[in-house]
Amino acid sequence: MNIPYLDLKKVTAQHGEEIQKAVAEVVGSGWYLQGERVKRFEANYARYIGTKHCIGVANGLDALMLTLKAYKELGRLKEGAEILVPANTFIATVLAITENGMKPVFIDIDEETLDMDATCLEKAINERTGAMMLVHLYGRCTYHESIKQFCEANNLILIEDNAQAHGCFYKERRTSSLGHAGCHSFYPGKNLGALGDGGAVTTNDDELAATIRAIANYGFEEKYVARWQGRNSRLDEVQAAVLDIKLTYLDDDNRRRQALARTYYTNINKGMVRLPSFLDGGQNVYHIFPVFIERRDELQLYLKEKGIGTLIHYPIPPHLQQCYPIWNKLQLPVTERLAQQELSIPLNPTMTDEEAIYVVEALNSFQKF
Ligand SMILES: Cc1ncc(COP(=O)(O)O)c(C=O)c1O
């Protein structure tokens, strides 16, 4: 069998005709930016997430970066503010902070739950702390009542990085509607993926929404009137049309992901391999299915020989990146260990049960050596 980590051609082909038709309509319309399709998608996505506003932007990094910039312009976060962020995240979460002249305070994680370690959080707080970035990494909801209480008690702005968790729930509410703002990436491989780059911010805050919308459009509050020093970061009509179609299938896709994940949780032998704690009730939309194992590189090679594609999310945590020499000496032991042990095995809605069982059998047979 040959099971690539992710076959985007297959993913798009699931709704190929509808997508081709929608793209052709945009091409024929002569209207490519700031049109009705973006408006429609923004309204539909806001309704889906359960927020008053959705602002389409160019990508997920911009969603995060513009959100922090808007808070700065509104005087609600200051240059130099400390922002709590899980140490095991994709670098974009951290880039958004440093790009705004703020300081990431890296919080190590709990090895079982992958949530931020509560003791580390308590130690990190001081009078300069302004916000928390909550990253629903791998599609796992990492919001809890304790996070809400912690943010309220310390007067923190709560920003959710929902790039990997479209459609995920916490109780009856979707992630990215739980804090003050939610940031989304529609990178093609995401659960809700475009045919190129795309992103969005969701929020109930009128002033924040208007500011982000303006900053993403040169800072214009109205045409050619720049209230802020903005930039150009917009979702385009082709991507909005495609996303609007794919949004209607997102919950079905996530249910399929959850069924495949159940197959993995039930059948993978947990000898050498460790799985994160199981989350029930729609609280995990399995953007990525991580397994942790000391002999990670050997396992990756073994699976490759069996025709199974895997990826590593992520091999170098942000604080150890060359671009951040001042943090290279920080010690965040759990994050650093997991970066050496993590392997993402294939999981996406186009996979068959047989393919999932083949992956399980390969993993289990490796553990016999
Ligand atoms: C957790 C997380 N945050 C932010 C981003 C940035 O999104 P984008 O690639 O659209 O800039 C990504 C995805 O790539 C991500 O996985």
Side-chain angles (χ1 to χ4, degrees), residues 333-357:
V334 181
T335 295
E336 287 163 24
R337 187 160 57 245
L338 294 190
Q340 306 205 324
Q341 297 184 353
E342 197 274 348
L343 191 67
S344 306
I345 59 175
L347 193 163
N348 72 79
T350 67
M351 268 178 86
T352 63
D353 292 342
E354 292 69 37
E355 286 174 327
I357 291 295

Side-chain angles (χ1 to χ4, degrees), residues 21-32 37 238:
K21 187 165 166 273
V23 171
E25 275 172 18
V26 180
V27 172
S29 76
W31 198 286
Y32 308 121
R37 288 172 183 86
V238 171

Side-chain angles (χ1 to χ4, degrees), residues 66 69 73 214-220 226-231:
L66 291 163
K69 185 165 164 65
E73 298 291 3
I215 294 172
N217 189 36
Y218 313 106
F220 290 166
R227 170 147 179 215
W228 321 104
Q229 290 180 25
R231 55 178 63 213

Side-chain angles (χ1 to χ4, degrees), residues 28 53-54 73 75 80 91 116 133 136 151 173 177 183 192 210 224 233 238 243 267 271 281 312 320 325 328 344:
H53 304 280
C54 166
E73 298 291 3
I91 195 166
M116 280 187 279
M133 296 289 218
H136 304 298
C151 289
R173 289 160 68 199
S177 72
C183 301
L192 179 58
Y224 302 138
S233 180
V238 171
L243 289 167
N267 296 296
I312 296 169
L320 296 182
N328 286 175
S344 306

Side-chain angles (χ1 to χ4, degrees), residues 58-64 89-93 135-138 161-164 183-187 190 197-199 287-288 314:
N59 54 61
L61 171 58
D62 278 8
L64 292 158
T89 186
F90 181 59
I91 195 166
T93 328
V135 186
H136 304 298
L137 200 72
Y138 304 144
D161 181 339
N162 204 49
Q164 300 192 2
C183 301
H184 309 256
S185 160
F186 303 127
Y187 176 81
K190 300 292 196 233
D197 277 318
H287 173 57
I288 286 168
Y314 296 93

Side-chain angles (χ1 to χ4, degrees), residues 40-52 54 174:
R40 197 183 321 139
F41 172 69
E42 287 178 338
N44 288 338
Y45 197 56
R47 194 173 317 116
Y48 176 85
I49 294 296
T51 52
K52 198 166 161 193
C54 166
R174 304 256 189 203

